[in-house]
mmCIF file with all atom_site columns, all heavy atoms in Angstrom:
data_model
loop_
_atom_site.group_PDB
_atom_site.id
_atom_site.type_symbol
_atom_site.label_atom_id
_atom_site.label_alt_id
_atom_site.label_comp_id
_atom_site.label_asym_id
_atom_site.label_entity_id
_atom_site.label_seq_id
_atom_site.pdbx_PDB_ins_code
_atom_site.Cartn_x
_atom_site.Cartn_y
_atom_site.Cartn_z
_atom_site.occupancy
_atom_site.B_iso_or_equiv
_atom_site.pdbx_formal_charge
_atom_site.auth_seq_id
_atom_site.auth_comp_id
_atom_site.auth_asym_id
_atom_site.auth_atom_id
_atom_site.pdbx_PDB_model_num
ATOM 1   N N   . LEU A 1 1  ? 52.818 -5.646  -117.858 1.00 98.00 ? 746 LEU A N   1
ATOM 2   C CA  . LEU A 1 1  ? 54.013 -4.800  -117.840 1.00 98.00 ? 746 LEU A CA  1
ATOM 3   C C   . LEU A 1 1  ? 54.709 -4.925  -116.494 1.00 98.00 ? 746 LEU A C   1
ATOM 4   O O   . LEU A 1 1  ? 54.116 -4.678  -115.447 1.00 98.00 ? 746 LEU A O   1
ATOM 5   C CB  . LEU A 1 1  ? 53.630 -3.342  -118.095 1.00 98.00 ? 746 LEU A CB  1
ATOM 6   C CG  . LEU A 1 1  ? 54.775 -2.323  -118.078 1.00 98.00 ? 746 LEU A CG  1
ATOM 7   C CD1 . LEU A 1 1  ? 55.728 -2.564  -119.242 1.00 98.00 ? 746 LEU A CD1 1
ATOM 8   C CD2 . LEU A 1 1  ? 54.232 -0.899  -118.122 1.00 98.00 ? 746 LEU A CD2 1
ATOM 9   N N   . GLU A 1 2  ? 55.983 -5.310  -116.531 1.00 98.00 ? 747 GLU A N   1
ATOM 10  C CA  . GLU A 1 2  ? 56.771 -5.433  -115.305 1.00 98.00 ? 747 GLU A CA  1
ATOM 11  C C   . GLU A 1 2  ? 57.564 -4.157  -115.031 1.00 98.00 ? 747 GLU A C   1
ATOM 12  O O   . GLU A 1 2  ? 57.652 -3.714  -113.890 1.00 98.00 ? 747 GLU A O   1
ATOM 13  C CB  . GLU A 1 2  ? 57.718 -6.625  -115.411 1.00 98.00 ? 747 GLU A CB  1
ATOM 14  C CG  . GLU A 1 2  ? 58.529 -6.865  -114.153 1.00 98.00 ? 747 GLU A CG  1
ATOM 15  C CD  . GLU A 1 2  ? 59.378 -8.124  -114.244 1.00 98.00 ? 747 GLU A CD  1
ATOM 16  O OE1 . GLU A 1 2  ? 60.362 -8.114  -115.018 1.00 98.00 ? 747 GLU A OE1 1
ATOM 17  O OE2 . GLU A 1 2  ? 59.058 -9.101  -113.552 1.00 98.00 ? 747 GLU A OE2 1
ATOM 18  N N   . SER A 1 3  ? 58.146 -3.565  -116.077 1.00 98.00 ? 748 SER A N   1
ATOM 19  C CA  . SER A 1 3  ? 58.917 -2.333  -115.889 1.00 98.00 ? 748 SER A CA  1
ATOM 20  C C   . SER A 1 3  ? 59.059 -1.607  -117.214 1.00 98.00 ? 748 SER A C   1
ATOM 21  O O   . SER A 1 3  ? 58.949 -2.211  -118.285 1.00 98.00 ? 748 SER A O   1
ATOM 22  C CB  . SER A 1 3  ? 60.311 -2.636  -115.315 1.00 98.00 ? 748 SER A CB  1
ATOM 23  O OG  . SER A 1 3  ? 61.103 -3.361  -116.247 1.00 98.00 ? 748 SER A OG  1
ATOM 24  N N   . ARG A 1 4  ? 59.291 -0.302  -117.131 1.00 98.00 ? 749 ARG A N   1
ATOM 25  C CA  . ARG A 1 4  ? 59.589 0.491   -118.321 1.00 98.00 ? 749 ARG A CA  1
ATOM 26  C C   . ARG A 1 4  ? 60.594 1.572   -117.937 1.00 98.00 ? 749 ARG A C   1
ATOM 27  O O   . ARG A 1 4  ? 60.379 2.313   -116.974 1.00 98.00 ? 749 ARG A O   1
ATOM 28  C CB  . ARG A 1 4  ? 58.325 1.133   -118.896 1.00 98.00 ? 749 ARG A CB  1
ATOM 29  C CG  . ARG A 1 4  ? 58.594 2.145   -120.028 1.00 98.00 ? 749 ARG A CG  1
ATOM 30  C CD  . ARG A 1 4  ? 57.314 2.556   -120.750 1.00 98.00 ? 749 ARG A CD  1
ATOM 31  N NE  . ARG A 1 4  ? 56.783 1.462   -121.527 1.00 98.00 ? 749 ARG A NE  1
ATOM 32  C CZ  . ARG A 1 4  ? 55.497 1.118   -121.562 1.00 98.00 ? 749 ARG A CZ  1
ATOM 33  N NH1 . ARG A 1 4  ? 54.610 1.791   -120.844 1.00 98.00 ? 749 ARG A NH1 1
ATOM 34  N NH2 . ARG A 1 4  ? 55.100 0.100   -122.310 1.00 98.00 ? 749 ARG A NH2 1
ATOM 35  N N   . HIS A 1 5  ? 61.695 1.627   -118.675 1.00 98.00 ? 750 HIS A N   1
ATOM 36  C CA  . HIS A 1 5  ? 62.721 2.640   -118.450 1.00 98.00 ? 750 HIS A CA  1
ATOM 37  C C   . HIS A 1 5  ? 63.064 3.327   -119.764 1.00 98.00 ? 750 HIS A C   1
ATOM 38  O O   . HIS A 1 5  ? 62.711 2.834   -120.849 1.00 98.00 ? 750 HIS A O   1
ATOM 39  C CB  . HIS A 1 5  ? 63.976 2.012   -117.833 1.00 98.00 ? 750 HIS A CB  1
ATOM 40  C CG  . HIS A 1 5  ? 63.761 1.454   -116.468 1.00 98.00 ? 750 HIS A CG  1
ATOM 41  N ND1 . HIS A 1 5  ? 63.516 0.110   -116.246 1.00 98.00 ? 750 HIS A ND1 1
ATOM 42  C CD2 . HIS A 1 5  ? 63.733 2.047   -115.254 1.00 98.00 ? 750 HIS A CD2 1
ATOM 43  C CE1 . HIS A 1 5  ? 63.352 -0.098  -114.941 1.00 98.00 ? 750 HIS A CE1 1
ATOM 44  N NE2 . HIS A 1 5  ? 63.479 1.064   -114.320 1.00 98.00 ? 750 HIS A NE2 1
ATOM 45  N N   . ALA A 1 6  ? 63.763 4.431   -119.655 1.00 98.00 ? 751 ALA A N   1
ATOM 46  C CA  . ALA A 1 6  ? 64.116 5.205   -120.841 1.00 98.00 ? 751 ALA A CA  1
ATOM 47  C C   . ALA A 1 6  ? 65.283 4.596   -121.605 1.00 98.00 ? 751 ALA A C   1
ATOM 48  O O   . ALA A 1 6  ? 65.487 4.928   -122.781 1.00 98.00 ? 751 ALA A O   1
ATOM 49  C CB  . ALA A 1 6  ? 64.445 6.646   -120.456 1.00 98.00 ? 751 ALA A CB  1
ATOM 50  N N   . ASP A 1 7  ? 66.045 3.722   -120.963 1.00 97.00 ? 752 ASP A N   1
ATOM 51  C CA  . ASP A 1 7  ? 67.182 3.081   -121.633 1.00 97.00 ? 752 ASP A CA  1
ATOM 52  C C   . ASP A 1 7  ? 67.528 1.789   -120.906 1.00 97.00 ? 752 ASP A C   1
ATOM 53  O O   . ASP A 1 7  ? 66.889 1.417   -119.924 1.00 97.00 ? 752 ASP A O   1
ATOM 54  C CB  . ASP A 1 7  ? 68.394 4.027   -121.709 1.00 97.00 ? 752 ASP A CB  1
ATOM 55  C CG  . ASP A 1 7  ? 68.870 4.507   -120.341 1.00 97.00 ? 752 ASP A CG  1
ATOM 56  O OD1 . ASP A 1 7  ? 68.650 3.799   -119.329 1.00 97.00 ? 752 ASP A OD1 1
ATOM 57  O OD2 . ASP A 1 7  ? 69.461 5.601   -120.276 1.00 97.00 ? 752 ASP A OD2 1
ATOM 58  N N   . TRP A 1 8  ? 68.571 1.124   -121.399 1.00 97.00 ? 753 TRP A N   1
ATOM 59  C CA  . TRP A 1 8  ? 68.965 -0.168  -120.826 1.00 97.00 ? 753 TRP A CA  1
ATOM 60  C C   . TRP A 1 8  ? 69.599 -0.019  -119.446 1.00 97.00 ? 753 TRP A C   1
ATOM 61  O O   . TRP A 1 8  ? 69.668 -0.988  -118.684 1.00 97.00 ? 753 TRP A O   1
ATOM 62  C CB  . TRP A 1 8  ? 69.930 -0.876  -121.760 1.00 97.00 ? 753 TRP A CB  1
ATOM 63  C CG  . TRP A 1 8  ? 69.294 -1.351  -123.022 1.00 97.00 ? 753 TRP A CG  1
ATOM 64  C CD1 . TRP A 1 8  ? 69.373 -0.782  -124.257 1.00 97.00 ? 753 TRP A CD1 1
ATOM 65  C CD2 . TRP A 1 8  ? 68.472 -2.510  -123.179 1.00 97.00 ? 753 TRP A CD2 1
ATOM 66  N NE1 . TRP A 1 8  ? 68.644 -1.503  -125.179 1.00 97.00 ? 753 TRP A NE1 1
ATOM 67  C CE2 . TRP A 1 8  ? 68.083 -2.574  -124.546 1.00 97.00 ? 753 TRP A CE2 1
ATOM 68  C CE3 . TRP A 1 8  ? 68.020 -3.512  -122.314 1.00 97.00 ? 753 TRP A CE3 1
ATOM 69  C CZ2 . TRP A 1 8  ? 67.273 -3.597  -125.057 1.00 97.00 ? 753 TRP A CZ2 1
ATOM 70  C CZ3 . TRP A 1 8  ? 67.224 -4.527  -122.814 1.00 97.00 ? 753 TRP A CZ3 1
ATOM 71  C CH2 . TRP A 1 8  ? 66.853 -4.561  -124.164 1.00 97.00 ? 753 TRP A CH2 1
ATOM 72  N N   . SER A 1 9  ? 70.068 1.185   -119.120 1.00 97.00 ? 754 SER A N   1
ATOM 73  C CA  . SER A 1 9  ? 70.709 1.394   -117.823 1.00 97.00 ? 754 SER A CA  1
ATOM 74  C C   . SER A 1 9  ? 69.712 1.672   -116.704 1.00 97.00 ? 754 SER A C   1
ATOM 75  O O   . SER A 1 9  ? 70.109 1.804   -115.550 1.00 97.00 ? 754 SER A O   1
ATOM 76  C CB  . SER A 1 9  ? 71.714 2.559   -117.919 1.00 97.00 ? 754 SER A CB  1
ATOM 77  O OG  . SER A 1 9  ? 72.741 2.251   -118.847 1.00 97.00 ? 754 SER A OG  1
ATOM 78  N N   . GLY A 1 10 ? 68.432 1.805   -117.063 1.00 97.00 ? 755 GLY A N   1
ATOM 79  C CA  . GLY A 1 10 ? 67.403 1.989   -116.030 1.00 97.00 ? 755 GLY A CA  1
ATOM 80  C C   . GLY A 1 10 ? 67.027 3.419   -115.760 1.00 97.00 ? 755 GLY A C   1
ATOM 81  O O   . GLY A 1 10 ? 66.420 3.705   -114.715 1.00 97.00 ? 755 GLY A O   1
ATOM 82  N N   . ALA A 1 11 ? 67.325 4.348   -116.669 1.00 98.00 ? 756 ALA A N   1
ATOM 83  C CA  . ALA A 1 11 ? 66.924 5.743   -116.481 1.00 98.00 ? 756 ALA A CA  1
ATOM 84  C C   . ALA A 1 11 ? 65.405 5.853   -116.469 1.00 98.00 ? 756 ALA A C   1
ATOM 85  O O   . ALA A 1 11 ? 64.695 5.081   -117.123 1.00 98.00 ? 756 ALA A O   1
ATOM 86  C CB  . ALA A 1 11 ? 67.504 6.618   -117.596 1.00 98.00 ? 756 ALA A CB  1
ATOM 87  N N   . GLU A 1 12 ? 64.900 6.825   -115.722 1.00 98.00 ? 757 GLU A N   1
ATOM 88  C CA  . GLU A 1 12 ? 63.453 7.000   -115.599 1.00 98.00 ? 757 GLU A CA  1
ATOM 89  C C   . GLU A 1 12 ? 62.824 7.338   -116.945 1.00 98.00 ? 757 GLU A C   1
ATOM 90  O O   . GLU A 1 12 ? 63.331 8.170   -117.701 1.00 98.00 ? 757 GLU A O   1
ATOM 91  C CB  . GLU A 1 12 ? 63.150 8.116   -114.600 1.00 98.00 ? 757 GLU A CB  1
ATOM 92  C CG  . GLU A 1 12 ? 61.661 8.358   -114.394 1.00 98.00 ? 757 GLU A CG  1
ATOM 93  C CD  . GLU A 1 12 ? 61.374 9.526   -113.467 1.00 98.00 ? 757 GLU A CD  1
ATOM 94  O OE1 . GLU A 1 12 ? 62.340 10.184  -113.034 1.00 98.00 ? 757 GLU A OE1 1
ATOM 95  O OE2 . GLU A 1 12 ? 60.182 9.784   -113.189 1.00 98.00 ? 757 GLU A OE2 1
ATOM 96  N N   . PHE A 1 13 ? 61.700 6.701   -117.237 1.00 98.00 ? 758 PHE A N   1
ATOM 97  C CA  . PHE A 1 13 ? 60.935 7.013   -118.438 1.00 98.00 ? 758 PHE A CA  1
ATOM 98  C C   . PHE A 1 13 ? 60.014 8.178   -118.143 1.00 98.00 ? 758 PHE A C   1
ATOM 99  O O   . PHE A 1 13 ? 59.243 8.152   -117.180 1.00 98.00 ? 758 PHE A O   1
ATOM 100 C CB  . PHE A 1 13 ? 60.126 5.795   -118.874 1.00 98.00 ? 758 PHE A CB  1
ATOM 101 C CG  . PHE A 1 13 ? 59.301 6.038   -120.115 1.00 98.00 ? 758 PHE A CG  1
ATOM 102 C CD1 . PHE A 1 13 ? 59.909 6.103   -121.360 1.00 98.00 ? 758 PHE A CD1 1
ATOM 103 C CD2 . PHE A 1 13 ? 57.926 6.210   -120.028 1.00 98.00 ? 758 PHE A CD2 1
ATOM 104 C CE1 . PHE A 1 13 ? 59.161 6.324   -122.507 1.00 98.00 ? 758 PHE A CE1 1
ATOM 105 C CE2 . PHE A 1 13 ? 57.162 6.427   -121.169 1.00 98.00 ? 758 PHE A CE2 1
ATOM 106 C CZ  . PHE A 1 13 ? 57.781 6.492   -122.409 1.00 98.00 ? 758 PHE A CZ  1
ATOM 107 N N   . THR A 1 14 ? 60.104 9.233   -118.960 1.00 97.00 ? 759 THR A N   1
ATOM 108 C CA  . THR A 1 14 ? 59.306 10.438  -118.751 1.00 97.00 ? 759 THR A CA  1
ATOM 109 C C   . THR A 1 14 ? 58.607 10.825  -120.051 1.00 97.00 ? 759 THR A C   1
ATOM 110 O O   . THR A 1 14 ? 58.803 10.198  -121.099 1.00 97.00 ? 759 THR A O   1
ATOM 111 C CB  . THR A 1 14 ? 60.192 11.617  -118.301 1.00 97.00 ? 759 THR A CB  1
ATOM 112 O OG1 . THR A 1 14 ? 61.010 12.047  -119.407 1.00 97.00 ? 759 THR A OG1 1
ATOM 113 C CG2 . THR A 1 14 ? 61.091 11.209  -117.137 1.00 97.00 ? 759 THR A CG2 1
ATOM 114 N N   . ALA A 1 15 ? 57.821 11.883  -119.994 1.00 94.00 ? 760 ALA A N   1
ATOM 115 C CA  . ALA A 1 15 ? 57.124 12.375  -121.182 1.00 94.00 ? 760 ALA A CA  1
ATOM 116 C C   . ALA A 1 15 ? 58.091 12.859  -122.246 1.00 94.00 ? 760 ALA A C   1
ATOM 117 O O   . ALA A 1 15 ? 57.719 12.966  -123.422 1.00 94.00 ? 760 ALA A O   1
ATOM 118 C CB  . ALA A 1 15 ? 56.164 13.500  -120.801 1.00 94.00 ? 760 ALA A CB  1
ATOM 119 N N   . ASP A 1 16 ? 59.321 13.154  -121.866 1.00 95.00 ? 761 ASP A N   1
ATOM 120 C CA  . ASP A 1 16 ? 60.314 13.645  -122.822 1.00 95.00 ? 761 ASP A CA  1
ATOM 121 C C   . ASP A 1 16 ? 61.250 12.552  -123.333 1.00 95.00 ? 761 ASP A C   1
ATOM 122 O O   . ASP A 1 16 ? 62.132 12.831  -124.150 1.00 95.00 ? 761 ASP A O   1
ATOM 123 C CB  . ASP A 1 16 ? 61.147 14.763  -122.186 1.00 95.00 ? 761 ASP A CB  1
ATOM 124 C CG  . ASP A 1 16 ? 60.316 15.996  -121.871 1.00 95.00 ? 761 ASP A CG  1
ATOM 125 O OD1 . ASP A 1 16 ? 59.443 16.342  -122.705 1.00 95.00 ? 761 ASP A OD1 1
ATOM 126 O OD2 . ASP A 1 16 ? 60.515 16.594  -120.797 1.00 95.00 ? 761 ASP A OD2 1
ATOM 127 N N   . SER A 1 17 ? 61.081 11.330  -122.875 1.00 96.00 ? 762 SER A N   1
ATOM 128 C CA  . SER A 1 17 ? 61.956 10.243  -123.313 1.00 96.00 ? 762 SER A CA  1
ATOM 129 C C   . SER A 1 17 ? 61.722 9.945   -124.788 1.00 96.00 ? 762 SER A C   1
ATOM 130 O O   . SER A 1 17 ? 60.585 9.898   -125.257 1.00 96.00 ? 762 SER A O   1
ATOM 131 C CB  . SER A 1 17 ? 61.696 8.976   -122.488 1.00 96.00 ? 762 SER A CB  1
ATOM 132 O OG  . SER A 1 17 ? 61.978 9.184   -121.119 1.00 96.00 ? 762 SER A OG  1
ATOM 133 N N   . ARG A 1 18 ? 62.804 9.723   -125.509 1.00 93.00 ? 763 ARG A N   1
ATOM 134 C CA  . ARG A 1 18 ? 62.706 9.448   -126.944 1.00 93.00 ? 763 ARG A CA  1
ATOM 135 C C   . ARG A 1 18 ? 62.576 7.967   -127.244 1.00 93.00 ? 763 ARG A C   1
ATOM 136 O O   . ARG A 1 18 ? 62.279 7.584   -128.382 1.00 93.00 ? 763 ARG A O   1
ATOM 137 C CB  . ARG A 1 18 ? 63.925 10.031  -127.665 1.00 93.00 ? 763 ARG A CB  1
ATOM 138 C CG  . ARG A 1 18 ? 64.020 11.547  -127.601 1.00 93.00 ? 763 ARG A CG  1
ATOM 139 C CD  . ARG A 1 18 ? 65.194 12.062  -128.383 1.00 93.00 ? 763 ARG A CD  1
ATOM 140 N NE  . ARG A 1 18 ? 65.098 11.689  -129.795 1.00 93.00 ? 763 ARG A NE  1
ATOM 141 C CZ  . ARG A 1 18 ? 66.086 11.857  -130.676 1.00 93.00 ? 763 ARG A CZ  1
ATOM 142 N NH1 . ARG A 1 18 ? 67.240 12.371  -130.278 1.00 93.00 ? 763 ARG A NH1 1
ATOM 143 N NH2 . ARG A 1 18 ? 65.923 11.489  -131.934 1.00 93.00 ? 763 ARG A NH2 1
ATOM 144 N N   . SER A 1 19 ? 62.822 7.122   -126.262 1.00 96.00 ? 764 SER A N   1
ATOM 145 C CA  . SER A 1 19 ? 62.692 5.678   -126.460 1.00 96.00 ? 764 SER A CA  1
ATOM 146 C C   . SER A 1 19 ? 62.436 5.025   -125.107 1.00 96.00 ? 764 SER A C   1
ATOM 147 O O   . SER A 1 19 ? 62.488 5.681   -124.057 1.00 96.00 ? 764 SER A O   1
ATOM 148 C CB  . SER A 1 19 ? 63.950 5.094   -127.111 1.00 96.00 ? 764 SER A CB  1
ATOM 149 O OG  . SER A 1 19 ? 65.069 5.261   -126.251 1.00 96.00 ? 764 SER A OG  1
ATOM 150 N N   . HIS A 1 20 ? 62.162 3.735   -125.143 1.00 98.00 ? 765 HIS A N   1
ATOM 151 C CA  . HIS A 1 20 ? 61.935 3.023   -123.885 1.00 98.00 ? 765 HIS A CA  1
ATOM 152 C C   . HIS A 1 20 ? 62.333 1.565   -124.036 1.00 98.00 ? 765 HIS A C   1
ATOM 153 O O   . HIS A 1 20 ? 62.366 1.018   -125.142 1.00 98.00 ? 765 HIS A O   1
ATOM 154 C CB  . HIS A 1 20 ? 60.469 3.134   -123.448 1.00 98.00 ? 765 HIS A CB  1
ATOM 155 C CG  . HIS A 1 20 ? 59.475 2.606   -124.432 1.00 98.00 ? 765 HIS A CG  1
ATOM 156 N ND1 . HIS A 1 20 ? 58.973 1.324   -124.383 1.00 98.00 ? 765 HIS A ND1 1
ATOM 157 C CD2 . HIS A 1 20 ? 58.872 3.192   -125.504 1.00 98.00 ? 765 HIS A CD2 1
ATOM 158 C CE1 . HIS A 1 20 ? 58.106 1.142   -125.357 1.00 98.00 ? 765 HIS A CE1 1
ATOM 159 N NE2 . HIS A 1 20 ? 58.028 2.250   -126.068 1.00 98.00 ? 765 HIS A NE2 1
ATOM 160 N N   . VAL A 1 21 ? 62.639 0.966   -122.904 1.00 98.00 ? 766 VAL A N   1
ATOM 161 C CA  . VAL A 1 21 ? 62.856 -0.472  -122.791 1.00 98.00 ? 766 VAL A CA  1
ATOM 162 C C   . VAL A 1 21 ? 61.758 -0.992  -121.880 1.00 98.00 ? 766 VAL A C   1
ATOM 163 O O   . VAL A 1 21 ? 61.718 -0.669  -120.688 1.00 98.00 ? 766 VAL A O   1
ATOM 164 C CB  . VAL A 1 21 ? 64.246 -0.795  -122.218 1.00 98.00 ? 766 VAL A CB  1
ATOM 165 C CG1 . VAL A 1 21 ? 64.397 -2.297  -121.998 1.00 98.00 ? 766 VAL A CG1 1
ATOM 166 C CG2 . VAL A 1 21 ? 65.348 -0.277  -123.144 1.00 98.00 ? 766 VAL A CG2 1
ATOM 167 N N   . SER A 1 22 ? 60.845 -1.768  -122.453 1.00 98.00 ? 767 SER A N   1
ATOM 168 C CA  . SER A 1 22 ? 59.690 -2.266  -121.712 1.00 98.00 ? 767 SER A CA  1
ATOM 169 C C   . SER A 1 22 ? 59.821 -3.768  -121.501 1.00 98.00 ? 767 SER A C   1
ATOM 170 O O   . SER A 1 22 ? 60.110 -4.509  -122.441 1.00 98.00 ? 767 SER A O   1
ATOM 171 C CB  . SER A 1 22 ? 58.397 -1.960  -122.468 1.00 98.00 ? 767 SER A CB  1
ATOM 172 O OG  . SER A 1 22 ? 58.205 -0.554  -122.574 1.00 98.00 ? 767 SER A OG  1
ATOM 173 N N   . VAL A 1 23 ? 59.603 -4.201  -120.266 1.00 98.00 ? 768 VAL A N   1
ATOM 174 C CA  . VAL A 1 23 ? 59.709 -5.608  -119.899 1.00 98.00 ? 768 VAL A CA  1
ATOM 175 C C   . VAL A 1 23 ? 58.309 -6.111  -119.563 1.00 98.00 ? 768 VAL A C   1
ATOM 176 O O   . VAL A 1 23 ? 57.646 -5.600  -118.652 1.00 98.00 ? 768 VAL A O   1
ATOM 177 C CB  . VAL A 1 23 ? 60.648 -5.813  -118.693 1.00 98.00 ? 768 VAL A CB  1
ATOM 178 C CG1 . VAL A 1 23 ? 60.729 -7.290  -118.324 1.00 98.00 ? 768 VAL A CG1 1
ATOM 179 C CG2 . VAL A 1 23 ? 62.026 -5.242  -118.985 1.00 98.00 ? 768 VAL A CG2 1
ATOM 180 N N   . TYR A 1 24 ? 57.863 -7.124  -120.305 1.00 98.00 ? 769 TYR A N   1
ATOM 181 C CA  . TYR A 1 24 ? 56.559 -7.750  -120.076 1.00 98.00 ? 769 TYR A CA  1
ATOM 182 C C   . TYR A 1 24 ? 56.779 -9.172  -119.545 1.00 98.00 ? 769 TYR A C   1
ATOM 183 O O   . TYR A 1 24 ? 57.743 -9.833  -119.921 1.00 98.00 ? 769 TYR A O   1
ATOM 184 C CB  . TYR A 1 24 ? 55.743 -7.791  -121.357 1.00 98.00 ? 769 TYR A CB  1
ATOM 185 C CG  . TYR A 1 24 ? 55.441 -6.422  -121.921 1.00 98.00 ? 769 TYR A CG  1
ATOM 186 C CD1 . TYR A 1 24 ? 56.204 -5.881  -122.936 1.00 98.00 ? 769 TYR A CD1 1
ATOM 187 C CD2 . TYR A 1 24 ? 54.393 -5.659  -121.412 1.00 98.00 ? 769 TYR A CD2 1
ATOM 188 C CE1 . TYR A 1 24 ? 55.940 -4.618  -123.439 1.00 98.00 ? 769 TYR A CE1 1
ATOM 189 C CE2 . TYR A 1 24 ? 54.111 -4.384  -121.896 1.00 98.00 ? 769 TYR A CE2 1
ATOM 190 C CZ  . TYR A 1 24 ? 54.887 -3.876  -122.923 1.00 98.00 ? 769 TYR A CZ  1
ATOM 191 O OH  . TYR A 1 24 ? 54.629 -2.625  -123.427 1.00 98.00 ? 769 TYR A OH  1
ATOM 192 N N   . ARG A 1 25 ? 55.864 -9.600  -118.701 1.00 98.00 ? 770 ARG A N   1
ATOM 193 C CA  . ARG A 1 25 ? 56.062 -10.918 -118.087 1.00 98.00 ? 770 ARG A CA  1
ATOM 194 C C   . ARG A 1 25 ? 54.775 -11.725 -118.112 1.00 98.00 ? 770 ARG A C   1
ATOM 195 O O   . ARG A 1 25 ? 53.671 -11.188 -117.894 1.00 98.00 ? 770 ARG A O   1
ATOM 196 C CB  . ARG A 1 25 ? 56.543 -10.760 -116.656 1.00 98.00 ? 770 ARG A CB  1
ATOM 197 C CG  . ARG A 1 25 ? 57.087 -12.042 -116.036 1.00 98.00 ? 770 ARG A CG  1
ATOM 198 C CD  . ARG A 1 25 ? 57.881 -11.787 -114.785 1.00 98.00 ? 770 ARG A CD  1
ATOM 199 N NE  . ARG A 1 25 ? 58.617 -12.979 -114.384 1.00 98.00 ? 770 ARG A NE  1
ATOM 200 C CZ  . ARG A 1 25 ? 59.442 -13.021 -113.342 1.00 98.00 ? 770 ARG A CZ  1
ATOM 201 N NH1 . ARG A 1 25 ? 59.669 -11.934 -112.617 1.00 98.00 ? 770 ARG A NH1 1
ATOM 202 N NH2 . ARG A 1 25 ? 60.078 -14.143 -113.038 1.00 98.00 ? 770 ARG A NH2 1
ATOM 203 N N   . LEU A 1 26 ? 54.909 -13.021 -118.391 1.00 98.00 ? 771 LEU A N   1
ATOM 204 C CA  . LEU A 1 26 ? 53.789 -13.938 -118.294 1.00 98.00 ? 771 LEU A CA  1
ATOM 205 C C   . LEU A 1 26 ? 53.548 -14.326 -116.848 1.00 98.00 ? 771 LEU A C   1
ATOM 206 O O   . LEU A 1 26 ? 54.484 -14.307 -116.033 1.00 98.00 ? 771 LEU A O   1
ATOM 207 C CB  . LEU A 1 26 ? 54.075 -15.208 -119.094 1.00 98.00 ? 771 LEU A CB  1
ATOM 208 C CG  . LEU A 1 26 ? 54.101 -15.102 -120.622 1.00 98.00 ? 771 LEU A CG  1
ATOM 209 C CD1 . LEU A 1 26 ? 54.466 -16.455 -121.223 1.00 98.00 ? 771 LEU A CD1 1
ATOM 210 C CD2 . LEU A 1 26 ? 52.758 -14.624 -121.166 1.00 98.00 ? 771 LEU A CD2 1
ATOM 211 N N   . PRO A 1 27 ? 52.324 -14.708 -116.501 1.00 97.00 ? 772 PRO A N   1
ATOM 212 C CA  . PRO A 1 27 ? 52.080 -15.179 -115.141 1.00 97.00 ? 772 PRO A CA  1
ATOM 213 C C   . PRO A 1 27 ? 52.889 -16.444 -114.845 1.00 97.00 ? 772 PRO A C   1
ATOM 214 O O   . PRO A 1 27 ? 53.106 -17.272 -115.720 1.00 97.00 ? 772 PRO A O   1
ATOM 215 C CB  . PRO A 1 27 ? 50.578 -15.489 -115.117 1.00 97.00 ? 772 PRO A CB  1
ATOM 216 C CG  . PRO A 1 27 ? 50.013 -14.766 -116.294 1.00 97.00 ? 772 PRO A CG  1
ATOM 217 C CD  . PRO A 1 27 ? 51.099 -14.698 -117.318 1.00 97.00 ? 772 PRO A CD  1
ATOM 218 N N   . ALA A 1 28 ? 53.319 -16.564 -113.624 1.00 94.00 ? 773 ALA A N   1
ATOM 219 C CA  . ALA A 1 28 ? 53.991 -17.796 -113.193 1.00 94.00 ? 773 ALA A CA  1
ATOM 220 C C   . ALA A 1 28 ? 52.952 -18.876 -112.970 1.00 94.00 ? 773 ALA A C   1
ATOM 221 O O   . ALA A 1 28 ? 51.765 -18.598 -112.746 1.00 94.00 ? 773 ALA A O   1
ATOM 222 C CB  . ALA A 1 28 ? 54.796 -17.548 -111.925 1.00 94.00 ? 773 ALA A CB  1
ATOM 223 N N   . GLN A 1 29 ? 53.353 -20.113 -113.007 1.00 80.00 ? 774 GLN A N   1
ATOM 224 C CA  . GLN A 1 29 ? 52.442 -21.213 -112.741 1.00 80.00 ? 774 GLN A CA  1
ATOM 225 C C   . GLN A 1 29 ? 51.909 -21.129 -111.312 1.00 80.00 ? 774 GLN A C   1
ATOM 226 O O   . GLN A 1 29 ? 52.617 -20.764 -110.387 1.00 80.00 ? 774 GLN A O   1
ATOM 227 C CB  . GLN A 1 29 ? 53.147 -22.555 -112.943 1.00 80.00 ? 774 GLN A CB  1
ATOM 228 C CG  . GLN A 1 29 ? 53.289 -22.941 -114.399 1.00 80.00 ? 774 GLN A CG  1
ATOM 229 C CD  . GLN A 1 29 ? 53.954 -24.293 -114.561 1.00 80.00 ? 774 GLN A CD  1
ATOM 230 O OE1 . GLN A 1 29 ? 54.755 -24.697 -113.734 1.00 80.00 ? 774 GLN A OE1 1
ATOM 231 N NE2 . GLN A 1 29 ? 53.633 -24.982 -115.650 1.00 80.00 ? 774 GLN A NE2 1
#
């Protein structure tokens, strides 16, 4: 997991967030 926000604009993800945008990343070479 690289990052998780409550929306595409980068709002903080909290216990009350109804959705999330999660960014996952593979290891670099």
Side-chain angles (χ1 to χ4, degrees):
L746 179 66
E747 183 175 71
S748 66
R749 172 169 290 136
H750 295 97
D752 58 26
W753 290 102
S754 298
E757 181 184 3
F758 180 74
T759 71
D761 295 320
S762 298
R763 296 183 60 189
S764 63
H765 58 95
V766 175
S767 296
V768 179
Y769 299 98
R770 194 165 192 177
L771 290 177
Q774 282 182 331

